[in-house]
Structures are given as C-alpha cells and as structure tokens.
Amino acid sequence: MGYPEDTLAQDEQLVLHRHPHFKTLILPFLALVILTTAAVLAWSWSRNADMSDSASTILGIVVGALWLIGVLWLFAWPMLRWATTHFVITDRRVMFRHGILTRTGIDIPMSRINTVQFRHGVIDRILRTGTLIIESASDDPLEFNDIPRVEHVHSLLYHEVFDDEGDGPRRS
C-alpha cells in the first residue's frame, strides 16, 4: 500500500491525490539543460585549449564538481520537493503534506470547511492550474498553490463538502 493509502483511516475513501502542477518543474529542467550545456562546453574548451594535461584534468574535475553541485541544488532538490508534496482529498478530510527532510502536514476535516475558492490567471488557465483557497471554521484561509485542474478540484471538493444528497464521494 503506497502513499496516501497508508495514511487513511479505516473505511476512509480516497477521492483525489495530486502533486503540484508540472509547471513547477520547468525551471529545474531548464537549469539542468543550461548546466549540462555549460559543462560540456567548458570541458570541450579545456580539451582544445593550449594547456598542460594536468591543468586540463584539474579543470575537468572542477567543471564536473560544479555541474554535480548545480544539478543537485537546482534540479534534484526541486524534483524531490515536487515528488514529496501531496494534496489529497478523501471523503472525510483534505490533507496536504510536503517536505523532504522535515515533513509538514495539515488535515482539514470536511465538516470544518466553510468556503472553497480558486484563483488562476491567464497563464495558469492555459496550463490548467491555479490556487485553491479553503476557509475552515476558525482558521485563516489556507492557500494551496499550483493545484492541477484547480477548477475540477474546486468542484469536487465543493460537492464533497456541501452535497446534501449523500450519494457518496465523487471519483476523479
């Protein structure tokens, strides 16, 4: 049993599980391409430059180390952050979990939700993403950014919270 199924209570039904929208990964992928291109160009230049073999080797090692540090910091870390961020709706609650080394989470019981809103600009509308805003009974509104298909999630959550017909959870 994988996440989030292993966090559900007995008889709790999973309705929706999402990671942040892929747009959060565009800059890390761009950084990977730029870093790799720069490293290949620097390594190529060092091989063709008029310098000793030991200087060329040292420069290659430095370029490789800088490339590795850059890839870990600008690509791998954001990918891990994306993969460990979960937005989950069940028939009983809304869960949000994020973090790599230190995990943070919040659960909002369906019975405590007062208002469900969404917001998205032109670019977000094109990419079918946006911000979901949930107001609970006694807390400030919580904003969840980069939720894929935010209008669908908004509608689904609204029906889970405010549907009086009781026909059970909606599936997506």
Side-chain angles (χ1 to χ4, degrees), residues 9-122:
Q10 187 175 4
D11 296 329
E12 187 174 15
Q13 298 294 315
L14 178 66
V15 176
L16 177 91
H17 175 215
R18 297 273 163 89
H19 291 280
H21 192 268
F22 75 88
K23 82 173 191 175
T24 60
L25 301 176
I26 292 172
L27 288 178
F29 275 111
L30 186 60
L32 177 66
V33 169
I34 290 170
L35 286 169
T36 303
T37 302
V40 167
L41 289 174
W43 179 79
S44 237
W45 174 82
S46 75
R47 291 291 168 207
N48 296 328
D50 188 22
M51 63 175 67
S52 69
D53 285 341
S54 61
S56 178
T57 302
I58 290 171
L59 183 59
I61 291 170
V62 169
V63 166
L66 290 174
W67 175 84
L68 182 61
I69 291 168
V71 166
L72 289 175
W73 181 42
L74 298 174
F75 177 73
W77 191 257
M79 289 292 292
L80 278 171
R81 196 171 41 234
W82 176 86
T84 59
T85 300
H86 303 271
F87 181 81
V88 178
I89 299 175
T90 72
D91 58 343
R92 297 182 188 174
R93 59 188 165 153
V94 173
M95 298 187 302
F96 183 74
R97 304 281 190 272
H98 65 96
I100 298 168
L101 300 175
T102 303
R103 297 283 296 159
T104 304
I106 186 168
D107 290 3
I108 307 168
M110 290 291 182
S111 61
R112 306 252 324 169
I113 295 175
N114 291 337
T115 306
V116 181
Q117 304 172 34
F118 70 92
R119 176 179 63 237
H120 55 139
V122 174

